[in-house]
Amino acid sequence: MKVLDSTLLTPYCQFAADRDASRHLFALTLMVLSLSFALTVRAQDGNAGVESKTVASPVQMVQALNSAFGAHHARAVHAKGIILQGSFLPAASASRLTRATHLQGKGEAVVVRFSDFTGIPDIADTVGASRPRGAAIKFLLPDNQSTDIVLHSFNGFPVATTDEFRTLLEAIGSNGRGDSAPLGQFLNTHPIAKTFLTTQKPMSTSWATLSFFGVNAFKLTNTAGETHFVRYQLVPDAGEHFLSKAQVSTANPNYLQTEIKQRVAAAPIVFKLYAQVAEPGDVIENPAVAWPDSRKRVLLGTLTLSNMAPNTVAEDKALFFNPNNVHDGISVADPMLVDRARTYPVSVGERQ
């Protein structure tokens, strides 16, 4: 299948005593957590009184993704990726925004999956369609509970609604089959989508030298009952660094995976997790409209990745991140999140 070679759209513990045994336990635990979540579909559709008016069904959304990128019995999007293990230490400032337990106290173990864009499992890291990159965090909580954050490397989204996203995906699929008219027509009437496709960041030197942004907004509530609307941001301690065009031309198609393995073997990888806080008048329910950089950011905590996960095929198939997998103190604020929660289990089922 032909893929546009331009930037495209998009989205436990450290067992130090016995690393090998711990990784087998990690993989088993992770599969149980992820599959049980997929089967129960804890979408929390009404958690914040948010309702979806989307016409497209979850099955139709997965079909649209497959139309754009092909059906590979893998993730419908962000198919190529790699999994790491680590921990999250909350910042004291997090409690000002939310009473969510994973953002309080002594911290939690996490699993993080970095990824390329598209549903093509062997896409080269060096082509435009591999961006935006993805990052997903699963916090591993007591009693076999978990909560997730899903981000990508572009601050925003190409469209405002799920139905528009379906139309865009189908247009990309038509373009790949040689009919460029639907995509051209869509971009002429959706300037934000055109900006999304043409202004992705350069190729980063590493997943660890790239910032990531939550697509959708959430409502955070603290112990006093005060609420704020936020979007997540994940910022690397190492700063952002990018390859030159000459470096990209000679880079290996799998350079990101090779690099991240070498980097984490040498030293822990550290990110800061922030909540960007909306101000009155900011658009909450439209992920295509990024909030100004001047908005206040509150530090939620420090994410430290210390080692690779087993990264077996079975582990990757079972691992399931859902942005609606939230706990008390966090609730959805964007109707697109309801659609994502309903669509993800369909995608999970197709990859098995």
Side-chain angles (χ1 to χ4, degrees):
M1 178 187 127
K2 178 182 177 183
V3 180
L4 283 175
D5 191 14
S6 62
T7 48
L8 295 177
L9 64 155
T10 114
Y12 76 126
C13 294
Q14 293 178 239
F15 300 96
D18 188 343
R19 179 68 56 84
D20 291 337
S22 72
R23 289 186 175 185
H24 290 298
L25 177 60
F26 164 81
L28 178 61
T29 303
L30 194 56
M31 285 195 294
V32 171
L33 280 169
S34 298
L35 288 175
S36 64
F37 180 83
L39 290 172
T40 55
V41 194
R42 287 179 50 227
Q44 300 198 12
D45 289 356
N47 198 26
V50 174
E51 296 182 1
S52 169
K53 298 180 181 179
T54 298
V55 174
S57 70
V59 171
Q60 288 173 325
M61 287 307 304
V62 173
Q63 290 173 340
L65 287 162
N66 291 342
S67 171
F69 311 127
H72 302 278
H73 297 290
R75 280 174 165 78
V77 68
H78 292 285
K80 181 181 179 181
I82 197 164
I83 307 165
L84 291 86
Q85 300 171 337
S87 60
F88 179 81
L89 181 63
S93 50
S95 63
R96 299 204 304 262
L97 293 181
T98 179
R99 58 178 178 258
T101 56
H102 66 288
L103 298 177
Q104 322 291 321
K106 297 181 179 180
E108 305 290 350
V110 297
V111 54
V112 172
R113 185 179 186 271
F114 294 113
S115 60
D116 287 351
F117 189 57
T118 85
I120 303 171
D122 58 353
I123 190 169
D125 298 339
T126 53
V127 300
S130 66
R131 297 169 297 170
R133 313 294 189 193
I137 309 167
K138 184 176 290 291
F139 299 80
L140 305 173
L141 309 180
D143 301 320
N144 287 332
Q145 298 296 304
S146 67
T147 187
D148 303 328
I149 295 177
V150 180
L151 314 98
H152 68 188
S153 60
F154 187 89
N155 189 9
F157 200 65
V159 293
T161 69
T162 302
D163 284 323
E164 287 181 321
F165 190 40
R166 179 192 179 194
T167 302
L168 175 57
L169 290 168
E170 291 174 341
I172 290 173
S174 295
N175 185 83
R177 293 185 292 273
D179 182 6
S180 61
L183 183 57
Q185 293 169 0
F186 187 91
L187 297 181
N188 284 338
T189 57
H190 294 78
I192 293 178
K194 187 173 183 178
T195 298
F196 185 96
L197 298 183
T198 57
T199 61
Q200 292 291 334
K201 295 177 181 178
M203 304 291 177
S204 62
T205 59
S206 172
W207 277 304
T209 60
L210 191 60
S211 294
F212 297 90
F213 304 86
V215 169
N216 307 105
F218 291 83
K219 184 172 76 171
L220 270 53
T221 305
N222 62 21
T223 54
E226 299 167 332
T227 62
H228 297 84
F229 292 102
V230 309
R231 288 174 178 160
Y232 295 114
Q233 295 186 2
L234 189 66
V235 180
D237 272 18
E240 289 199 309
H241 301 281
F242 303 100
L243 299 177
S244 67
K245 290 183 178 180
Q247 289 173 317
V248 172
S249 68
T250 60
N252 185 281
N254 300 307
Y255 83 90
L256 285 174
Q257 298 207 7
T258 300
E259 193 281 339
I260 204 77
K261 292 175 184 177
Q262 296 172 345
R263 181 181 290 261
V264 76
I269 298 168
V270 181
F271 286 84
K272 294 295 192 299
L273 180 66
Y274 291 92
Q276 184 189 31
V277 182
E279 293 185 2
D282 287 340
V283 179
I284 304 300
E285 298 186 352
N286 184 348
V289 179
W291 299 338
D293 291 338
S294 59
R295 295 296 177 262
K296 180 176 69 175
R297 293 193 313 179
V298 176
L299 180 64
L300 298 179
T302 301
L303 178 72
T304 302
L305 303 176
S306 54
N307 58 274
M308 301 300 301
N311 279 281
T312 64
V313 173
E315 176 192 11
D316 194 53
K317 282 181 176 290
L319 185 57
F320 175 46
F321 299 93
N322 192 323
N324 282 36
N325 179 22
V326 296
H327 289 255
D328 180 57
I330 302 175
S331 52
V332 301
D334 183 341
M336 185 178 285
L337 285 163
V338 177
D339 301 326
R340 293 176 71 176
R342 294 170 177 172
T343 300
Y344 282 23
V346 177
S347 177
V348 172
E350 289 200 355
R351 77 169 86 138
Q352 304 307 318

